[in-house]
Amino acid sequence: MTTPSPMTCREVFERLESFVDRELTEDEMHLVHDHLERCTGCAGDYQLEATALEALRVRLRRVAIPSDLRERVLANLARAGRADSTPPGTP
Amino acid sequence: MTAATTPDAGGPPHDWAFEDLLVGVLDQAYGTALRLTGSVPEAEDLVQEAALLAQRGFPGFRPGSNFRAWFYRILLNRFYSDHRRRRRAPPVVSLDAKPEGEHHASVRQALADPASDLLDRLDADLIDRALDALPDDYRAAAVLYFMQDMPYQEIAEVLDVPLGTVRSRLHRARRQLQRSLLSLAREHGLGTSQAPREDA
C-alpha cells in the first residue's frame, strides 16, 4: 500500500471549507491536518476560516423565540384537526 | 406502523407521535424561518403553515426516518412557493468571484486586526442585511448550515439537490456573506486601514 503524497498549500486551500465542516474523506482529513501542523501560513488560513464561521454562526443564531410559539402552533393544529374531521355541512 | 393516537372526547384522535416530533424541531424551525423571510410575522406564518402541511402529510412519513429533514423540506418548499413571491427583490449583488487569494487576503486583514474585531462590532442589523442580500437558493443553504449545523448530505435532502450543488451554493454563500460583511463594515467605519499582507 502506498503512502499518500503530502498535500500542497493550494490543495489544502481548496479543501479548507470542507475540512472545517468535516466533510472530507478520512484520508483527506488526515492529509489536511498533517499539512496544517507543518505550514504556519495554511494554519493561519484555517484559523481565519474557522473563526469567521463560528462568529457568523453565533451571531445568526441569536434569535428571540416567542415564548408562546409552541402553544400557538399546537392550538392551530388542534383547530385544523377539528375542522378536518368535521363532516361537511355540519353547522 | 401507525402513529400513536389517543381519542379525545368529542374530537379527532390526538397524534402524540407527530406532536412529539414537531415540538422537537419547532424553536429551531422558527429561527430558520426568520432568517429565510427576514420578518417576524412572516416567520411565524411560515412555521404555522409548514406545521399544518406536516400534520396532514404525516401519514406518509416513514417512521424512524429523518423527521427534521422531512419537516424542513416542507418548510423550504412552502417558503419558495409562497413567501418568496412576497419578498421585495433583494439588492443586486455581484456573485462574480474575486480570485480566491485576493478575497482571502482582505478577509484575513479585517479579521486579524485586533483593533477592529470586526464581527463582534457588527450589529445584528448589518448581519441580517448581509444574509438578506444572498439569492434565495444560497440563503436557504446558508441558513440550514449556520442555524442547524446540518451536514451537507442532509442539506441536499432538504433542498432536493445534488450534494455537489450544496457544496457550490454553500461555498458561494459563505464567500458572499463574508464580502458583504466586509463591505458593510467599511461603510460603517469599521475595519482597518492597514495594507493587506501578501499571500504566501
Side-chain angles (χ1 to χ4, degrees):
Chain A
M1 190 173 94
T2 58
T3 306
S5 304
M7 281 190 180
T8 64
C9 290
R10 177 153 199 87
E11 288 170 329
V12 167
F13 185 81
E14 288 168 357
R15 289 163 176 77
L16 210 51
E17 281 184 1
S18 296
F19 177 77
V20 170
D21 295 342
R22 307 195 67 79
E23 291 275 352
L24 296 175
T25 65
E26 195 175 331
D27 284 347
E28 284 185 313
M29 291 294 289
H30 284 308
L31 286 170
V32 171
H33 181 262
D34 288 346
H35 183 95
L36 293 179
E37 293 215 304
R38 292 182 285 106
C39 178
T40 54
C42 289
D45 286 344
Y46 163 74
Q47 199 53 51
L48 170 70
E49 186 76 28
T51 301
L53 279 179
E54 185 55 26
L56 278 171
R57 186 176 283 121
V58 166
R59 296 308 295 271
L60 287 172
R61 288 183 183 188
R62 283 185 198 162
V63 170
I65 310 288
S67 58
D68 57 348
L69 174 72
R70 187 175 298 188
E71 286 69 29
R72 287 208 299 273
V73 170
L74 294 180
N76 198 36
L77 290 177
R79 270 195 302 274
R82 284 194 295 273
D84 284 349
S85 66
T86 302
T90 305
Chain B
M1 179 179 118
T2 56
T5 58
T6 305
D8 237 346
H14 195 102
D15 196 333
W16 296 107
F18 171 72
E19 191 171 301
D20 283 347
L21 289 168
L22 179 68
V23 160
V25 301
L26 209 51
D27 284 354
Q28 291 201 324
Y30 173 82
T32 299
L34 187 59
R35 291 298 181 198
L36 286 171
T37 62
S39 154
V40 167
E42 284 192 37
E44 180 159 346
D45 283 350
L46 181 55
V47 168
Q48 293 276 18
E49 288 158 10
L52 273 171
L53 289 169
Q55 178 176 253
R56 287 177 187 149
F58 193 64
F61 172 72
R62 199 171 68 253
S65 62
N66 187 339
F67 180 84
R68 180 175 81 161
W70 182 80
F71 181 75
Y72 275 102
R73 189 156 169 183
I74 293 172
L75 187 123
L76 264 293
N77 284 340
R78 190 68 191 180
F79 167 68
Y80 284 132
S81 70
D82 189 40
H83 292 263
R84 200 181 196 180
R85 273 202 309 273
R86 299 208 295 261
R87 281 172 57 82
R88 60 175 173 78
V92 174
V93 177
S94 169
L95 292 179
D96 291 338
K98 280 186 181 181
E100 282 288 342
E102 188 182 331
H103 160 80
H104 232 242
S106 57
V107 172
R108 179 191 299 124
Q109 167 202 334
L111 292 183
D113 181 358
S116 73
D117 201 14
L118 203 63
L119 282 171
D120 278 349
R121 292 172 62 190
L122 287 170
D123 65 28
D125 182 55
L126 294 184
I127 295 178
D128 289 347
R129 282 171 56 191
L131 189 65
D132 212 43
L134 291 175
D136 284 348
D137 289 344
Y138 297 147
R139 188 167 69 258
V143 167
L144 292 173
Y145 170 80
F146 282 111
M147 304 289 288
Q148 306 300 332
D149 276 341
M150 270 192 193
Y152 292 0
Q153 185 57 53
E154 192 173 353
I155 296 176
E157 187 184 336
V158 170
L159 299 181
D160 194 22
V161 297
L163 190 60
T165 302
V166 171
R167 289 180 187 275
S168 168
R169 286 185 188 175
L170 273 180
H171 173 72
R172 299 191 82 180
R174 283 152 77 162
R175 285 293 170 258
Q176 188 53 48
L177 208 52
Q178 287 174 357
R179 278 203 291 272
S180 294
L181 287 170
L182 286 173
S183 175
L184 289 167
R186 289 193 193 104
E187 279 178 34
H188 287 74
L190 300 174
T192 177
S193 58
Q194 288 178 6
R197 68 175 173 86
E198 291 297 313
D199 270 332

